[in-house]
């Protein structure tokens, strides 16, 4: 019986080589190698949309032999926000987590850098829209990967019949299905006149002035259309500028045409306004239309999704992206990155868009021509212009381009909608601006 | 012999030990302590630890990377919105508690005067608003106030009255959150006052009647003095709960319009969780502790004083 001994020197060399191999090795799948990956994903509003994402993930997991556990976390009652905050505090929880709008910036120092993944995806598919880059790329580094699931546009969702009847506007002529928009005449002035006409006819535009995201996104798009910035990139408070005065003046005049209780509206109020048949227009992703298809089909048949009116600073559409991030305390980062690459593929994105019935919009500008948007109805083509396929709008978000820690405060505190409500109740413009300046000084704290 | 004596001494010592242990376990206070121990542990884990953690958080900067002492509180004192929230929390709590107490007092008397045969049914029905989870009942109220489907406005329109922006106007919105709080909380006052009323000896009323006391004098010199402690404890308990209210405001208005329906808890949530400034949110939520402590000390001292006099 021979006995083989290993010298100390040889043992150290072998150990070091093995360790180097483990560190440097790419993610290689074997029947046992994958381990477990825990995902905390946003629980979609649209029935069946979770299944679409789950199918994409399961297909990857089966191929890579990874055991995947998925928790769909609702954003109702801010449960997703609370989960993210708890996991960041505890440094424990899921490996991959869905991150709404401002969360990549808030948690940047606890997220695994994703420059390698995003670099490859951008090389393959072209650029993502500027809002996604502003929210996901912090201090020059990608903190997370833009998620198809949940990313949405909150453009106008109009009643074809009421707009034609009361405002004399032919939405279908401006935004024909399957063709580029012919919307040069669709300006802020025309929009204001239409709001006045529809309100007079008892079908006011259902735009909220509360502090939830639908209200804030809409106000932000109007401010952006004037180039009105409250705090610039260098943290200078610029609220007392001429552009802000113009934006505020316009928004106050427009808000006089909103329903009387719009200062209290939440993200469901505008949906109900449209589905009940009372409103000629709201600003929303297609969820209100989807509810109308189910509950009020005669109203759904008259709903058309289209672009924003243009202002002095261009045609800005409110875009609200979600992201997928990997916690830096995740124990299975290589598998998580592999999964996020798979979920970001064009064919994966297309499946998710289809499952969400067109609600979700991928971040890549080359992904806005999926057949779902062209074909879904009734009426057929209602979602054709929803993802901005002809790139005739600038996708933006309220409070950009302020630094994230300030922009997040402006957004979550609904500073712009509060400015409008103050103007609406009769406060003088300078008094509103002084109040906003004082609030912004408070948002500067570090 | 010596050995046998030593053995018996050891046995006696053991016996003494075991009997003292038995005595300890037979003591009512020990049994009471052991029985409450699970609850004490639960409170320690779910209340005391989070409370101290909140104090710790309140002393950190926004990014939670360095200790800043009382800076967060000093920052709050300079904010207009913070003082508005303090003012609104006081209006909300004080107004709601006063109305709950008045309604509870009146309804308790009405129920007390119902013949005992049908009283149980009334007691059960009147308690319904209190036993439904507030988030659910507030959601029902939200629908009653809803801009598109408001039942109230629908009725108003039918009788020719203009619709009211229930939650869109500052004053109506404040009225609505107080109304819902009173609706949910009044049954608790009612049941506490009813219990107090039932414990007033009938002889006192008979004596007052013989002395020729009228309704008001009976109420002032018999009923209210006999209910005083219950009134004080109920008011204290309700003030604490109302000050710390979250669900009603959160579901009904989320602090809108213009932050003018926020109370401490909802503003702390807005600043801390939604706004990403957890230390400032913790500071806001801790601010109500001294207010409530001072109130509790005064009311409890009064109760103890009256107890000693009795």
């Amino acid at each position: 019986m021979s006995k083989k001994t290993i010298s100390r020197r040889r043992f150290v060399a072998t150990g070091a080589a093995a360790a180097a191999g483990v560190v440097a090795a790419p993610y290689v799948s074997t029947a046992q190698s994958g381990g477990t990956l825990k995902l905390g994903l946003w629980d979609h509003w649209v029935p069946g949309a979770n299944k679409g994402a789950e199918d994409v993930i399961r297909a990857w997991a089966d191929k890579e032999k990874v055991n995947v556990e998925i928790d769909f976390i609702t954003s109702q009652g801010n449960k997703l926000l609370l989960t993210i905050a708890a996991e960041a505090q505890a440094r424990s929880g899921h490996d991959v987590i869905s991150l709404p709008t401002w969360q990549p910036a808030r948690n940047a120092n606890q997220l695994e850098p994703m420059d390698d993944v995003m670099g490859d995806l951008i090389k393959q598919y072209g650029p993502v829209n500027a809002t996604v880059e502003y929210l996901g790329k912090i201090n020059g580094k990608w903190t997370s990967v833009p998620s198809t699931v949940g990313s949405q546009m909150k453009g106008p969702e109009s009643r074809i019949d009421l707009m034609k009847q009361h405002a004399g506007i032919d939405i279908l002529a401006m935004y024909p299905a399957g063709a580029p928009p012919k919307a040069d005449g669709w300006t802020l002035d025309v929009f204001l006149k239409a709001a006045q006409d529809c309100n007079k006819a008892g079908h006011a535009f259902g735009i909220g002035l509360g502090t939830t995201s639908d209200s804030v996104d809409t106000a932000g798009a109007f401010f952006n259309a004037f180039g009105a910035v409250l705090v610039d990139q260098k943290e200078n408070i610029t609220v007392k500028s001429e552009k802000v005065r113009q934006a505020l003046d316009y928004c106050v005049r427009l808000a006089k045409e909103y329903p009387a209780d719009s200062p209290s509206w939440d993200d469901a109020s505008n949906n109900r306004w449209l589905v009940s048949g009372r409103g000629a227009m709201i600003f929303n992703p297609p969820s209100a239309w989807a509810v109308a298809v189910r509950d009020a089909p005669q109203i759904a048949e008259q709903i058309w999704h289209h672009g924003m009116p243009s202002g002095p600073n261009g045609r800005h559409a409110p875009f609200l992206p979600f992201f997928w991030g990997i916690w830096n305390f995740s124990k299975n980062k290589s598998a998580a990155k592999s999964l996020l690459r798979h979920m970001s593929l064009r064919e994966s994105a297309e499946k998710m868009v289809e499952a969400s019935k067109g609600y979700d919009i991928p971040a890549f500008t080359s992904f806005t021509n999926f057949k779902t948007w062209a074909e879904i109805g009734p009426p057929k083509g209602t979602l054709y212009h929803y993802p901005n396929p002809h790139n005739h709008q600038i996708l933006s978000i309220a409070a950009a381009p302020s630094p994230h820690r300030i922009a997040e405060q402006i957004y979550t505190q609904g500073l712009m909608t509060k400015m409008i409500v103050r103007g609406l109740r009769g406060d003088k413009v300078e008094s509103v601006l002084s109040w906003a300046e004082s609030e912004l000084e408070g948002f500067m704290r570090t | 012999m010596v050995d046998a004596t030593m053995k018996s001494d050891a046995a006696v010592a053991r016996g003494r030990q075991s009997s003292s242990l038995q005595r300890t376990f037979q003591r009512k206070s020990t049994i009471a302590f052991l029985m409450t121990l699970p609850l004490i542990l639960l409170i320690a884990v779910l209340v005391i630890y989070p409370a101290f953690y909140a104090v710790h958080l309140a002393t950190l900067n926004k990014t939670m990377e360095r200790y800043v002492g009382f800076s967060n509180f000093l920052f709050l004192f300079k904010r207009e919105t913070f003082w508005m929230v303090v003012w609104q929390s006081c209006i909300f709590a004080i107004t709601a508690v006063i109305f709950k107490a008045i309604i509870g007092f009146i309804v308790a008397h009405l129920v007390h005067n119902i013949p005992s045969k049908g009283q149980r049914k009334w007691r059960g029905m009147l308690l319904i608003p209190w036993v439904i989870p507030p988030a659910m009942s507030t959601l029902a109220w939200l629908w009653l106030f809803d801009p598109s489907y408001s039942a109230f406005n629908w009725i108003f329109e039918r009788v020719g009255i203009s619709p009211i922006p229930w939650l869109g106007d500052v004053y109506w919105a404040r009225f609505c959150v107080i109304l819902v709080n009173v609706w949910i909380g009044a049954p608790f006052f009612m049941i506490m006052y009813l219990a107090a009323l039932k414990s007033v000896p009938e002889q006192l009323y008979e004596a007052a009647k013989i002395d020729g006391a009228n309704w008001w004098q009976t109420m002032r010199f018999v009923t209210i003095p006999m209910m005083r402690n219950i009134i004080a404890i109920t008011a204290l308990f309700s003030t604490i709960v109302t000050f710390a209210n979250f669900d009603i405001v959160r579901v009904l208005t989320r602090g809108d319009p213009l932050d003018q329906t926020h109370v401490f808890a909802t503003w702390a949530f807005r600043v801390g969780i939604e706004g990403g400034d957890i230390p400032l949110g913790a500071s806001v939520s801790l601010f109500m502790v001294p207010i409530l402590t001072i109130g509790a000390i005064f009311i409890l001292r009064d109760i103890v004083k009256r107890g000693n006099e009795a």
Side-chain angles (χ1 to χ4, degrees), chain A residues 202-414:
Chain A
H203 293 285
F205 288 3
I207 299 171
L209 288 170
T211 47
T212 52
S213 70
D214 285 2
S215 302
V216 174
D217 287 323
T218 308
F222 286 127
F223 271 60
N224 283 331
F226 283 92
V229 173
L230 304 186
V231 175
D232 69 15
Q233 282 160 300
K234 292 177 183 165
E235 299 192 15
N236 299 309
I237 297 177
T238 52
V239 70
K240 288 189 167 173
S241 69
E242 204 43 48
K243 286 177 180 173
V244 175
R245 284 189 181 88
Q246 285 171 5
L248 184 61
D249 173 61
Y250 177 84
C251 288
V252 171
R253 278 189 289 140
L254 181 63
K256 286 178 182 158
E257 310 303 329
Y258 295 171
D261 51 4
S262 63
S264 69
W265 278 28
D266 62 17
D267 289 347
S269 308
N270 51 354
N271 293 31
R272 287 197 289 267
W273 188 255
L274 188 73
V275 178
S276 68
R278 299 186 69 174
M281 184 194 285
I282 63 167
F283 284 69
N284 211 58
S287 44
W289 164 77
V291 172
V293 169
R294 187 192 64 197
D295 297 343
Q298 74 287 359
I299 286 170
E301 282 165 13
Q302 293 294 332
I303 293 174
W304 201 254
H305 299 78
H306 57 92
M308 290 287 292
S310 66
N313 193 44
R315 197 183 298 277
H316 284 260
F319 187 74
L320 204 69
F322 263 69
F323 295 85
W324 291 308
I326 302 171
W327 289 119
N328 61 10
F329 48 77
S330 160
K331 292 189 174 68
N332 211 348
K333 290 175 193 166
S334 59
K337 279 194 176 181
S338 170
L339 171 63
L340 293 190
R341 279 176 194 276
H342 176 78
M343 291 170 81
S344 303
L345 295 175
R346 186 181 165 95
E347 50 272 30
S348 303
E350 193 156 8
K351 279 179 193 156
M352 291 178 204
V353 170
E354 194 182 344
S356 72
K357 299 181 180 71
Y359 179 103
D360 297 333
I361 300 180
F364 294 96
T365 47
S366 60
F367 284 12
T368 54
N369 53 1
F370 296 158
K371 66 175 190 322
T372 303
W373 293 306
E375 290 175 0
I376 206 160
K380 194 181 174 192
T382 181
L383 294 188
Y384 175 77
H385 288 280
Y386 167 64
N388 194 30
H390 297 282
N391 205 22
H392 87 306
Q393 303 182 93
I394 304 160
L395 307 191
S396 60
I397 185 159
S402 311
H404 299 95
R405 72 168 212 287
I406 301 163
E408 185 183 8
Q409 295 293 323
I410 295 172
Y411 189 97
T412 54
Q413 299 276 353

Side-chain angles (χ1 to χ4, degrees), chain B residues 4 23 62 69 72 87 124 159 188 194 199 286:
Chain B
R23 271 204 304 276
K62 187 179 174 183
N72 290 329
W87 170 240
V159 295
F188 170 71
L194 190 61
S199 66
L286 284 174

Side-chain angles (χ1 to χ4, degrees), chain B residues 280-302:
Chain B
L280 199 65
S283 307
V284 173
S285 60
L286 284 174
F287 191 80
M288 59 183 150
V289 174
I291 300 174
L292 296 178
T293 308
I294 292 166
I297 287 169
F298 274 105
I299 292 174
L300 290 175
R301 203 172 61 175
D302 192 43

Side-chain angles (χ1 to χ4, degrees), chain A residues 78 89 106 210-212 261 263-266 272-273 276 278 405 409 412 418 425 438-439 442 445-446, chain B residues 53 62 64 72 75 79 81 146-149 167 250 254 256 258-259 269-270 273-277:
Chain A
N78 290 104
Q89 287 278 303
R106 194 192 288 183
T211 47
T212 52
D261 51 4
S264 69
W265 278 28
D266 62 17
R272 287 197 289 267
W273 188 255
S276 68
R278 299 186 69 174
R405 72 168 212 287
Q409 295 293 323
T412 54
K418 284 180 195 164
R425 74 174 183 187
S438 151
E439 288 292 291
R445 77 187 221 105
T446 50
Chain B
Y53 189 60
K62 187 179 174 183
M64 295 193 278
N72 290 329
F75 173 82
R79 307 308 310 160
T81 313
D146 182 85
S148 305
Y149 299 111
L167 304 174
R250 182 72 198 171
R254 299 162 314 284
D256 293 336
L258 294 175
D259 294 327
F269 188 81
R270 169 67 57 83
I273 299 296
E274 292 181 319
D277 197 341

Side-chain angles (χ1 to χ4, degrees), chain B:
Chain B
M1 181 72 189
V2 174
D3 192 39
T5 313
M6 281 174 71
K7 272 182 185 167
S8 78
D9 282 353
V12 169
R14 268 202 307 276
R16 266 193 211 135
Q17 262 179 0
S18 76
S19 68
S20 87
L21 203 67
Q22 270 176 346
R23 271 204 304 276
T24 308
F25 275 102
Q26 278 167 354
R27 245 183 253 145
K28 277 184 178 173
S29 57
T30 311
I31 294 166
F33 174 74
L34 288 174
M35 290 179 81
T36 53
L37 191 61
L39 194 62
I40 291 169
L41 289 175
L42 207 66
I43 289 171
V45 172
L46 297 178
V47 178
I48 297 172
Y49 170 71
F52 279 98
Y53 189 60
V55 173
H56 164 69
L57 286 174
T59 59
L60 301 177
N61 73 328
K62 187 179 174 183
T63 49
M64 295 193 278
E65 285 162 342
R66 62 192 157 84
Y67 174 78
V68 293
F70 289 104
S71 293
N72 290 329
F73 292 98
L74 295 175
F75 173 82
L76 282 175
F77 293 160
K78 287 183 271 176
R79 307 308 310 160
E80 186 191 327
T81 313
F82 173 71
W83 289 114
M84 194 169 75
V85 170
V86 174
W87 170 240
Q88 281 157 199
S89 299
C90 293
I91 292 179
F92 175 70
I94 294 166
T95 317
V97 170
I98 289 172
F99 276 100
K100 281 187 274 192
I102 293 170
I103 293 169
F105 192 81
I106 295 168
V107 177
H109 276 82
L110 293 175
V111 174
H112 187 56
N113 287 314
I114 292 172
S116 54
K117 202 181 164 192
Q119 210 181 83
R120 194 183 285 179
K121 271 186 284 183
W122 282 100
R123 279 202 310 255
M125 282 191 289
L126 287 164
L127 273 176
I128 286 173
W130 191 60
V131 296
I132 299 172
M136 272 179 67
S137 50
T138 310
L139 202 59
W141 279 99
L142 177 68
W143 290 333
L144 289 171
F145 297 133
D146 182 85
S148 305
Y149 299 111
S150 167
F152 295 139
N153 280 347
W154 184 84
I155 294 167
F156 284 178
E157 279 174 33
R158 293 292 171 285
V159 295
I161 300 172
S162 309
I164 292 172
W166 293 106
L167 304 174
D169 175 82
V170 170
Y171 296 105
W172 277 115
R174 282 183 181 161
F175 167 79
C176 290
V177 290
I178 292 170
L179 172 75
V180 175
N181 189 279
V182 170
W183 182 81
I184 291 171
F188 170 71
F189 279 75
M190 184 273 293
I191 208 74
M192 293 296 281
Y193 291 171
L194 190 61
L197 275 175
K198 286 190 182 298
S199 66
V200 179
E202 201 55 39
Q203 296 92 320
L204 291 179
Y205 288 114
E206 283 166 11
K209 209 172 179 181
I210 291 163
D211 289 343
N214 60 23
W215 173 85
W216 170 243
Q217 286 166 326
T218 310
M219 179 68 75
R220 190 178 161 196
F221 297 109
V222 179
T223 309
I224 291 177
M226 293 303 289
M227 290 175 71
R228 217 162 136 185
N229 278 356
I230 288 289
I231 290 172
I233 289 172
T234 313
L236 170 68
F237 181 76
S238 179
T239 306
I240 292 170
V241 172
T242 312
F243 247 104
N245 185 273
F246 176 79
D247 37 17
I248 294 174
V249 174
R250 182 72 198 171
V251 173
L252 218 51
T253 65
R254 299 162 314 284
D256 293 336
L258 294 175
D259 294 327
Q260 293 194 359
T261 55
H262 266 308
V263 289
F264 283 116
T266 54
W267 201 56
F269 188 81
R270 169 67 57 83
V271 170
I273 299 296
E274 292 181 319
D277 197 341
I278 289 175
L280 199 65
S283 307
V284 173
S285 60
L286 284 174
F287 191 80
M288 59 183 150
V289 174
I291 300 174
L292 296 178
T293 308
I294 292 166
I297 287 169
F298 274 105
I299 292 174
L300 290 175
R301 203 172 61 175
D302 192 43
I303 289 167
V304 171
K305 203 171 126 191
R306 274 204 305 278
N308 291 340
E309 281 168 5

